[in-house]
Each structure stands twice: as C-alpha cells, then as structure tokens.
Amino acid sequence: MSIFSYNGAAIVAMAGKECVAIGSDLRFGVQMQTITCDTPKVFKIHDKLYLGLSGLLTDAQTLHQKLMFRHNLYKLREERDMKPSTFGHMLSNALYERRFGPYFAAPVVAGLEPDGTPFLCGMDTIGAIETAKDFMITGTSPESLYGMCESMWRPDMEPDELFETVAQCLMSGFDRDALAGWGAVIHVITKDKVISRTLKTRMD
Amino acid sequence: MDFFVGIKGKDFAMVCSDTSATQSIISIKQDEDKIVPIDDHKVFCIAGEAGDRVNFSEYIIANVKLYALRNGTELNTKSVANYTRGELATALRSSPYHCNLMLAGYDKETGPALYWLDYLATLNKVNTGGTGYGSYFTLSLFDKMWHPELTVDEAVAMMEAGIAEVKKRLVVAPPHYIIKVVDKDGVRVVKTV
C-alpha cells in the first residue's frame, strides 16, 4: 500500500487561448472504502490562481491551509495577489523545506499571469518544479491521464472547447482508476471570470 | 470493534454508537456511553486506541471550554471541527493520536452539522458517516435512505436498519447500542437498542 494511493485523486490542468482549466475528481476514500463523493481536490487561491493537490488528503488539506495563510500575508504586505509563477516557486520552496519528512502531496498550479498568459506547473512531493505550455496532471492513475491529455490537447483552444477537453480527459482517465472518480469539478479561468462546473460521472 | 455512525437531518444531527467496553477478548461492561458531550450542542464520537481516545477527547473538550471562558462566547461546530483537525495534524508527525472520530453539532445560525475525521487528520463535512467495520455495512444503506428533509423518526428508522444489518452480518457485532440526537434543544438520548 503506497501512501500516495491511500486516498486517491485525479487532477488535470490544461492551457488554452488566454485561459486555463483545472479539474479534479470528487471521491474521498480510505483505500477501498469510499466515504464521500463531494470532496474536490482543487482549491482557489485567488481569482486567477487555482491549486490542485493529489496524494494524502490530510497533507493536501494542511498544505492548502498553510499556503492560504502565506498568500493572505503576502496580500496584506504587497497589496496585490500573488502571480501564479511566484506562487509556484513559493510552493516548491515550501515543499523542499520538508525534504526529509515531506508532505505526501503532489501539486498542480494553474493560473493566468497578470498579462493574461496561461501559467501551468506541477511538482513532485519534494518540490521539483516543472512548467508546461500544454497540460499538467497528477493523481493515482497518471498513465491514463497522460495518454488522454497527450492525444486530445491542441494549442489555442477557446474556453468552451478547453472545458470539454479537460472534462473528457479527466473522466476517461479516472474511469479506469478504482481510487478516483465519483464525479468531477472543473474550473475554467478566463480574463474576466471563472466558470465552475460539476459533472455527474460513472459512480463507481 | 467500536462502531459509530452519524446522520445529519433537516434540523438535527443523530449519532449512534455501540456501548461495549472491551479489552482484547474480554468484555468489561456493556453500558459504556462513548458519545461524549463537548458542550450543550456538540458531541464527539471517538473510536480507536484506548488511551488516545480518552486523552484526546478530554484535551479538546477542555480547550473548547477554555475558549468559551476566555472569550465569553462558545465556538461553533465548524470551528471545533477545524481546531480538532489542527491538533491531530500537528501531532501527526511526532506522536500521533490513533483515533477516528465524528463530531455532531447544532448551531442556531447554520443548523446541524456532521464532521468525519480520521486518525491522519483528514476532515470532511458529511451527511452520513461512520467508522469501524460496522460502517462497511451501514454506509451504503444510508446512501439509499438519506434525503435532505430527513425527520428524527426517519433517521431512527435508518439507524435501526443499520444496526440490524451489523448484527446480522458482522462476526463480532456488539450487542447493545445507544442513539443520541443533537438539535436546538441540546443533546438527548433517543433510544437504546
């Protein structure tokens, strides 16, 4: 039993034309038992920045709370929201601080930079950061998710098409995963608004 | 094996626990009340390691009371749930408390709430929840029977159906159970089975 597959998760983030979308499944379970079907793993940091956290849910919750705290302090001092690229590097640093007793969570950061360009990055559990122009995924079935995203992503997708692509990749990806699924939530972040949609999927 | 389940209804939260106190193969008493009140409108159900259970619940209850004394106002259910998660999470990487728990509470402003916490400090707000082997049999039953406008009588019927299932199918099913409800009038015992 790996500690990363104790709870189960599937998270996909993709970049489009001046927009990003990030989605996760909704299952919360303890190994084989499903406890709830309304636990999203994507958290809002600010209007143009969302964070997805897979892995052990307790560490995902703790990390999210610590990062909200740091972002709130940043906002008070700087009087502005943190840029997604800055947030990504801050998160990487926060994870490496715990190099020899890590948080068992793998994050995906999705946001829009102040000039409107999409920003996507992902990290492993000790903060090795990698940015991407197309998509970033994390979860308990990475092979399925990578396969779907690689075949379905195209550059410069509009928000509606981006939503459809993320939805299909996520759903097909986690359908073959016993530990993820049971519904999905997807946020599409554009210049002026965020559209969040909850999907009803195969409930198994 | 300890058994706890909780159901959130329209304007109440109901919890049921077994009432046996055991030490390996010996049953010490059959009328142990394991649903501990935190204050007038909140209860804890804690299952797990013997010493950790009592120690941790008393620690949380004492701190909740201290807050009320210092600040002249009681904490609401969400705050107690998040405070408990914080204490479990802080202790997790030094000397973890090995207990799973449910918190049921009623607030005047927001109504009933039911929270599920496991020993790793994973917090979830739920409509129905449970811990232990018994929950394997009852949770799917509750999924089928639960709806948002649940009344106390319907919830008691759900609990009894769940208990019957546990007694029928679990090898080491506890013999006696207690059902308590938390609503605007406080905490009261609804039934003992």
Side-chain angles (χ1 to χ4, degrees):
Chain A
M1 190 268 303
S2 158
I3 200 159
F4 291 102
S5 51
Y6 186 76
N7 291 130
I11 298 167
V12 169
M14 276 192 187
K17 194 176 167 86
E18 289 172 6
C19 57
V20 276
I22 183 166
S24 81
D25 69 316
L26 293 177
R27 177 184 181 270
F28 166 61
V30 171
Q31 292 185 297
M32 282 297 127
Q33 187 186 27
T34 301
I35 311 276
T36 71
C37 317
D38 58 7
T39 308
K41 298 169 200 67
V42 182
F43 307 103
K44 176 176 153 173
I45 306 293
H46 61 74
D47 284 335
K48 299 241 168 56
L49 176 56
Y50 278 69
L51 170 70
L53 284 162
S54 76
L56 197 61
L57 194 62
T58 178
D59 281 350
Q61 288 178 343
T62 302
L63 252 185
H64 168 237
Q65 289 174 342
K66 282 194 188 277
L67 291 166
M68 280 308 298
F69 167 72
R70 286 179 78 161
H71 182 249
N72 286 338
L73 263 183
Y74 183 94
K75 260 192 352 194
L76 287 169
R77 289 180 181 138
E78 297 269 325
E79 293 177 1
R80 64 181 175 89
D81 285 328
M82 206 187 269
K83 276 197 301 205
S85 46
T86 311
F87 184 84
H89 285 90
M90 180 195 77
L91 175 52
S92 168
N93 184 264
L95 289 172
Y96 197 81
E97 269 185 330
R98 293 269 168 269
R99 170 66 178 83
F100 299 107
Y103 290 114
F104 297 109
V108 164
V109 177
L112 288 177
E113 293 283 291
D115 61 0
T117 49
F119 177 82
L120 282 179
C121 78
M123 272 158 260
D124 69 358
T125 187
I126 45 173
I129 191 170
E130 203 55 61
T131 45
K133 291 263 174 318
D134 42 15
F135 57 85
M136 260 297 159
I137 62 114
T138 178
T140 38
S141 51
E143 299 89 353
S144 309
L145 295 168
Y146 274 130
M148 285 303 303
C149 291
E150 198 68 65
S151 24
M152 297 192 69
W153 186 84
R154 286 180 305 110
D156 291 329
M157 281 189 279
E158 294 293 327
D160 288 332
E161 200 193 344
L162 187 65
F163 162 74
E164 274 307 321
T165 312
V166 170
Q168 291 304 319
C169 288
L170 194 54
M171 293 204 307
S172 301
F174 67 52
D175 270 349
R176 286 283 181 183
D177 185 1
L179 301 172
W182 293 80
V185 66
I186 298 173
H187 307 280
V188 182
I189 308 157
T190 54
K191 200 156 46 79
D192 34 310
K193 59 181 187 277
V194 175
I195 308 169
S196 304
R197 296 178 179 92
T198 309
L199 305 177
K200 200 163 156 81
T201 66
R202 281 180 66 111
M203 301 296 270
D204 61 0
Chain B
M1 184 65 217
D2 292 329
F3 167 79
F4 281 119
V5 283
I7 300 173
K8 188 185 89 155
K10 195 166 111 176
D11 49 8
F12 66 92
M14 187 178 283
V15 284
C16 169
S17 93
D18 72 293
T19 55
S20 20
T22 55
Q23 197 87 345
S24 80
I25 55 164
I26 300 169
S27 163
I28 301 177
K29 63 190 282 208
Q30 289 297 333
D31 54 3
E32 167 92 348
D33 186 357
K34 291 186 255 189
I35 302 175
V36 288
I38 303 167
D39 62 27
D40 291 330
H41 289 88
K42 294 177 207 39
V43 291
F44 255 151
C45 315
I46 308 198
E49 190 85 45
D52 283 348
R53 220 172 55 201
V54 177
N55 194 14
F56 184 65
S57 61
E58 287 183 351
Y59 173 67
I60 298 293
I61 291 165
N63 274 290
V64 168
K65 181 82 190 162
L66 182 61
Y67 182 97
L69 289 170
R70 277 183 177 153
N71 297 286
T73 177
E74 293 196 339
L75 282 167
N76 60 21
T77 314
K78 183 174 170 183
S79 310
V80 175
N82 278 285
Y83 170 66
T84 310
R85 186 200 109 79
E87 290 299 317
L88 277 170
T90 313
L92 182 63
R93 280 154 197 264
S94 49
S95 57
Y97 294 104
H98 211 287
C99 32
N100 300 315
L101 52 114
M102 297 202 59
L103 168 67
Y106 183 90
D107 305 307
K108 252 198 349 251
E109 304 85 10
T110 47
L114 188 63
Y115 288 90
W116 183 98
L117 264 164
D118 77 353
Y119 70 100
L120 294 170
T122 319
L123 174 68
N124 261 289
K125 188 163 193 281
V126 293
N127 294 322
T128 59
T131 65
Y133 290 126
S135 68
Y136 288 141
F137 303 102
T138 52
L139 284 187
S140 25
L141 198 62
F142 290 170
D143 280 343
K144 185 94 183 137
M145 296 169 83
W146 190 86
H147 61 85
E149 302 294 312
L150 214 61
T151 62
V152 173
D153 292 328
E154 284 173 333
V156 172
M158 274 171 78
M159 288 292 193
E160 288 183 321
I163 290 169
E165 198 60 37
V166 168
K167 279 185 170 173
K168 186 174 170 187
R169 293 294 182 185
L170 184 59
V171 176
V172 280
H176 299 294
Y177 302 82
I178 187 169
I179 304 175
K180 286 191 181 178
V181 77
V182 182
D183 61 12
K184 63 175 175 16
D185 302 320
V187 181
R188 65 180 190 285
V189 177
V190 170
K191 207 172 171 128
T192 50
V193 176

